[in-house]
Amino acid sequence: MAGVAKTWTVLELLRWTTQHFAERGIETPRLDAECLLASALGCDRLGLYVNYDRPVDEAERARFRELVRERATDRVPVALLVGEREFWSLPLRVTRDVLVPRPDTETLVAAALDAFPDREAELAVLDVGTGSGAIALAIARERPKARVTATDVSPAALAVARENAARLGLEDRVHFAEGSLFEPVADRRFALVVSNPPYVAERDAASLPPELAHEPRTALFGGPDGTDVLRAFASQVRDALEPDGAVFVELDPAQAETVSAWLAAAGLQEIATHRDMTGRVRAVGARRRD
Ligand SMILES: C[S@@+](CC[C@H](N)C(=O)[O-])C[C@H]1O[C@@H](n2cnc3c(N)ncnc32)[C@H](O)[C@@H]1O
């Protein structure tokens, strides 16, 4: 692509880049090429489809070339290159200070909403480890009378989450607090507690996709076997729940049995697993019934 004295069209650039990404082992080469070209041209993907024959000028190509290099060579995730990721149909700003929200986490949001089906309920909700604010903001959007508290140990992540709340007009009902686990909300009780804590095993670090190197370590790793934060969360969550309150926590399928046992040991009941559309366990839920 570089240095070739010819006019490139949108379609030609997409074809070239898709092949380049495929050769470099990128999992979704066409989709990534489209997202990056749309970003370089300042349009959305639909804008590409209706402009396949549009010539791309040198300044636009220079912007695109740099994005393609960062994706193919440095393996920077597309969401971080374009600065945005959609979660639960909400456009969220993302930076290197937060985990890029994953579709997997929508399983947890769906399970939590199912447990509180009344859209008008005035729920007190807690999201522990909010990152970009993804879970807290999705629940606030779906339950317009809920008051949501979202915590994180990372002040930089909280700044991104605050910005997302403001962009979505949810800042009046979603409040943020810095600190570990339940420390920022000591003595408070919630109808619903949700969390997607760091649960990747440090011992697996060497075999992880290179893209993960661009996300914060505190967002990913939960100690040697991944369960350090899960264990502390499970042992403390009961005291943060109102009577009949519910908790949903995301985890790796291999951790579901262990975490279920910890929740039971902490005095919670109605422990259940929640699966994604492929049948993979993505979350465990429980209720306080005493
Ligand atoms: C896997 S990310 C989840 C981010 C977001 N909730 C999502 O689902 O996209 C985990 C988040 O938990 C935060 N975190 C890590 N340890 C924590 C702790 N002990 N207490 C509170 N938050 C913590 C990290 O900073 C990170 O933002």
Side-chain angles (χ1 to χ4, degrees), residues 16-83:
W16 186 94
T17 310
T18 301
Q19 184 168 347
H20 178 62
F21 281 169
E23 285 163 4
R24 302 301 292 263
I26 302 283
E27 240 178 68
T28 51
R30 175 73 183 207
L31 177 63
D32 288 16
E34 288 180 3
C35 291
L36 296 182
L37 186 56
S39 174
L41 299 184
C43 65
D44 56 18
R45 283 168 56 217
L46 181 62
L48 301 179
Y49 305 152
V50 296
N51 283 299
Y52 272 160
D53 297 329
R54 166 187 179 306
V56 179
D57 71 31
E58 180 45 36
E60 292 167 330
R61 267 178 44 216
R63 275 202 300 277
F64 182 52
R65 222 170 10 239
E66 179 56 18
L67 293 172
V68 169
R69 188 193 64 71
E70 288 188 82
R71 180 75 192 102
T73 309
D74 302 340
R75 304 301 281 242
V76 181
V78 168
L80 292 180
L81 291 172
V82 304

Side-chain angles (χ1 to χ4, degrees), residues 159-182:
V160 175
R162 277 196 185 92
E163 185 185 335
N164 280 322
R167 275 163 49 119
L168 296 169
L170 294 169
E171 71 272 34
D172 292 344
R173 286 191 299 112
V174 184
H175 296 108
F176 297 95
E178 186 188 329
S180 181
L181 292 175
F182 302 96

